[in-house]
């Protein structure tokens, strides 16, 4: 049945003709290239299983996780069971220790009182057993990880590393663990130990090539005809004025559509551009 996505990953729909994503009244550009890179590694026997996605605010880390969750839900991706935690919306979890984050990632309720269920030496093997018995790859998505103190990050890496090794040692090829963390910083996540070392994926602003693809899809959706030269020129303009920041690119594309693609050179005016963004 493919993957099950829990803990608040939102479902989405696609606007015909646009290479993006519609959520409510907002349209989002997709990071297909970066998502496919991670998916390829997750499906490859020798691929990276732990990933750290970094970028300054506003460059689409959360949207990347949502898109990745949707992609692994497709049967062709291997039927991953996916859980997601956003620490911005879960203050209680981030205010506790690393074990609280682990419990949240694997859907385990905290104990009502201190005891064996609060002992990492008991909790971590039980999580590994749960995944092995399930016989299905498990993907954890952790957003807003910059909110965790470095000490908690170090402990969290050790806990996840132990679960990972226990699953590997069991020898069940269908039981695998993968982790994708989104953070504004890489503090505490880098380093060879404990294994596996996270592979760092830095998200930048959208290139003019990606924006050109989006403009081509926009033109098709509007049933408008524009030459390759016109598309390149428009993509260069949008990239220059937005610096590829996803939110700005999305707003400009919506404006181009609303204006029927008429005189988009007006974006060159600082005053007019600020008005569009506002």
């Amino acid at each position: 049945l493919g993957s099950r996505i829990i803990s608040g990953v939102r479902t989405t729909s696609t606007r015909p003709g646009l290479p993006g994503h519609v959520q409510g009244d907002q349209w989002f550009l997709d990071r297909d290239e970066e998502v496919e890179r991670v998916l390829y590694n997750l499906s490859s026997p020798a691929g990276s299983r732990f990933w750290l996605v970094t970028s300054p605010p506003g460059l689409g880390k959360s949207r990347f996780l949502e898109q990745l969750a949707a992609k692994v839900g497709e049967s062709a991706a291997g039927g991953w069971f996916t859980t997601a935690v956003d620490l911005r919306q879960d203050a209680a979890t981030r205010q506790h220790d690393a074990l609280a984050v682990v419990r949240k990632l694997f859907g385990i309720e905290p104990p009502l009182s201190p005891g064996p269920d609060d002992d990492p030496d008991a909790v971590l093997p039980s999580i590994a057993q749960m995944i092995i018995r399930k016989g299905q790859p498990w993907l954890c998505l952790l957003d807003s990880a910059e909110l965790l103190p470095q000490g908690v990050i170090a402990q969290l890496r050790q806990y996840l590393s132990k679960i990972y090794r226990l699953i590997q040692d069991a020898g069940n090829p269908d039981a695998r663990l993968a982790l994708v963390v989104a953070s504004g910083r890489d503090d505490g996540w880098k380093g060879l130990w404990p294994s596996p070392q996270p592979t760092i994926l830095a998200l930048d602003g959208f290139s003019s090539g990606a924006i050109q693809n989006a403009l081509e899809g926009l033109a098709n959706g509007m049933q408008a005809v524009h030459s390759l030269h016109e598309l390149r020129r428009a993509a260069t303009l949008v990239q220059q004025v937005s610096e590829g920041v996803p939110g700005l690119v999305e707003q400009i594309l919506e404006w181009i559509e609303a204006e029927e693609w008429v005189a988009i050179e007006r974006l060159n005016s600082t005053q007019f551009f600020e008005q569009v963004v506002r």
Side-chain angles (χ1 to χ4, degrees):
L1 296 178
S3 129
R4 181 185 171 201
I5 303 173
I6 63 177
S7 297
V9 173
R10 294 166 288 192
T11 57
T12 60
S13 59
T14 302
R15 182 190 299 178
L18 292 179
H21 156 96
V22 177
Q23 182 174 296
D25 294 329
Q26 289 186 297
W27 178 61
F28 296 85
L29 286 168
D30 286 333
R31 289 191 176 273
D32 293 325
E33 183 178 344
E34 293 92 340
V35 168
E36 289 301 324
R37 177 185 170 190
V38 175
L39 281 177
Y40 174 81
N41 276 271
L42 294 182
S43 61
S44 172
S48 298
R49 295 287 184 263
F50 283 23
W51 289 79
L52 176 64
V53 180
T54 63
S55 79
L59 289 187
K61 295 185 295 296
S62 297
R63 169 62 193 135
F64 172 86
L65 292 185
E66 290 185 0
Q67 188 183 353
L68 178 62
K71 285 286 187 178
V72 298
E74 299 173 359
S75 58
W80 288 82
F81 186 94
T82 307
T83 53
V85 174
D86 186 346
L87 294 174
R88 283 174 303 182
Q89 302 178 20
D90 202 328
T93 295
R94 71 171 185 259
Q95 289 171 0
H96 289 79
D97 58 14
L99 194 58
V101 180
V102 169
R103 285 198 187 95
K104 194 71 175 181
L105 284 171
F106 294 97
I108 299 173
E109 293 294 328
L112 297 177
S113 60
D117 291 339
D118 204 29
D119 182 359
D121 290 336
V123 175
L124 304 182
S126 69
I127 292 174
Q129 290 168 347
M130 176 180 66
I131 296 175
I132 294 166
R133 289 168 181 156
K134 195 173 190 59
Q136 184 179 5
W138 191 302
L139 173 62
C140 295
L141 305 177
L142 181 62
D143 200 0
S144 308
E146 67 275 1
L147 297 175
L148 294 174
Q150 287 197 38
V152 172
I153 292 173
Q155 189 69 69
L156 179 59
R157 283 192 64 188
Q158 292 186 37
Y159 288 164
L160 293 170
S161 174
K162 183 171 182 178
I163 297 170
Y164 178 85
R165 291 196 308 270
L166 289 171
I167 295 172
Q168 293 291 99
D169 293 345
N172 184 340
D174 295 324
R176 303 192 303 276
L177 174 64
L179 171 73
V180 180
V181 175
S183 176
R185 303 189 305 269
D186 59 16
D187 297 351
W189 292 101
K190 295 192 296 184
L192 296 175
W193 188 89
S195 63
Q197 179 184 14
T199 299
I200 297 179
L201 174 63
L203 297 183
D204 298 318
F206 284 106
S207 66
S208 59
I211 295 172
Q212 181 176 327
N213 290 336
L215 285 167
E216 185 175 357
L218 179 62
N220 292 336
M222 296 173 62
Q223 297 184 337
V225 178
H226 295 279
S227 68
L228 183 59
H229 174 72
E230 290 173 326
L231 289 171
R232 285 176 178 167
R233 186 174 61 181
T236 299
L237 171 63
V238 174
Q239 204 282 332
Q240 286 176 345
V241 299
S242 68
E243 296 186 357
V245 175
L248 296 182
V249 174
E250 290 152 8
Q251 291 294 326
I252 292 172
L253 292 176
E254 290 177 359
W255 174 80
I256 290 174
E257 182 181 27
E259 294 290 307
E260 303 296 340
W261 210 300
V262 172
I264 66 173
E265 294 79 8
R266 288 176 287 171
L267 288 168
N268 263 327
S269 164
T270 301
Q271 182 178 359
F272 188 79
F273 171 72
E274 290 176 351
Q275 178 183 347
V276 171
V277 172
R278 187 164 55 250

